[in-house]
Amino acid sequence: LGNMPALLDAIVGGWKTAGVFRISGGRPLTFSTYDGTSLPTYGAQRPNIVARPKRSNGKDSDWINAYIANPDAFQLPPVYTLGNAPRATGAIRSPTAFNTSMSLDKDFSLSPVKEGMRLELRLEAEHALNHPVFGTPDTAVDDPNFGIISYTSNGPRQVQLGVKIVF
């Protein structure tokens, strides 16, 4: 920083930062039946959609426990029928994901010890802001937990400190 004293410059000056920010919109949800009876060779039974599904809004606790605002938009189809729900619908999507990784590093010159020698100090934080990324809601229409998000899809913040001497 120009005419800063050498000791203060060694402590405060020369730090580098880096970051990776990832924001991704929700993915289309696939709705199914929990206890439905489908055709034996045709795969899982899907529900009938009788109204446009909507996502709940408001505080996290509101939509985590009831992600789908109108669960009556889904009905079980008759036995041995497929239902009219598509494999995945973009009408309602999983929660948005936001993740951040950051680093802070600095090189300290150790030239008084040996010419060209330096110490590299690095602090890295994976998931630095510790923001929860909620998983997908239960999408099995006749399941008692239908519409409930019961997990997060990321881990806790992880921080590591690295020191390297280059000579």
Side-chain angles (χ1 to χ4, degrees):
L1 294 175
N3 55 2
M4 186 182 297
L7 179 62
L8 189 58
D9 185 47
I11 296 169
V12 177
W15 289 94
K16 295 178 277 187
T17 60
V20 176
F21 301 91
R22 185 179 143 256
I23 301 171
S24 59
R27 298 184 60 86
L29 293 177
T30 58
F31 291 94
S32 63
T33 60
Y34 178 70
D35 207 16
T37 308
S38 63
L39 295 169
T41 60
Y42 207 78
Q45 190 178 33
R46 294 191 291 253
N48 285 325
I49 297 179
V50 296
R52 182 173 172 81
K54 296 179 184 161
R55 178 190 181 278
S56 295
N57 293 314
K59 300 181 304 189
D60 287 351
S61 59
D62 291 344
W63 60 262
I64 289 172
N65 294 318
Y67 192 75
I68 298 160
N70 57 341
D72 294 336
F74 301 93
Q75 292 180 350
L76 285 176
V79 175
Y80 301 117
T81 60
L82 297 176
N84 67 2
R87 288 193 177 159
T89 178
I92 187 167
R93 294 176 166 266
S94 63
T96 300
F98 175 73
N99 202 352
T100 307
S101 297
M102 298 175 144
S103 68
L104 179 68
D105 62 283
K106 180 173 177 157
D107 290 346
F108 295 92
S109 174
L110 298 177
S111 290
V113 176
K114 181 180 179 196
E115 186 64 33
M117 189 174 188
R118 71 181 193 280
L119 178 119
E120 293 178 5
L121 181 65
R122 185 171 181 88
L123 178 69
E124 299 172 336
E126 180 81 24
H127 192 55
L129 300 179
N130 210 24
H131 185 275
V133 176
F134 295 104
T136 57
D138 183 342
T139 56
V141 173
D142 52 339
D143 186 348
N145 295 320
F146 178 64
I148 295 175
I149 297 175
S150 59
Y151 68 98
T152 57
S153 60
N154 62 343
R157 177 186 308 128
Q158 294 182 3
V159 180
Q160 68 182 13
L161 177 66
V163 178
K164 178 168 71 170
I165 297 177
V166 179
F167 54 95

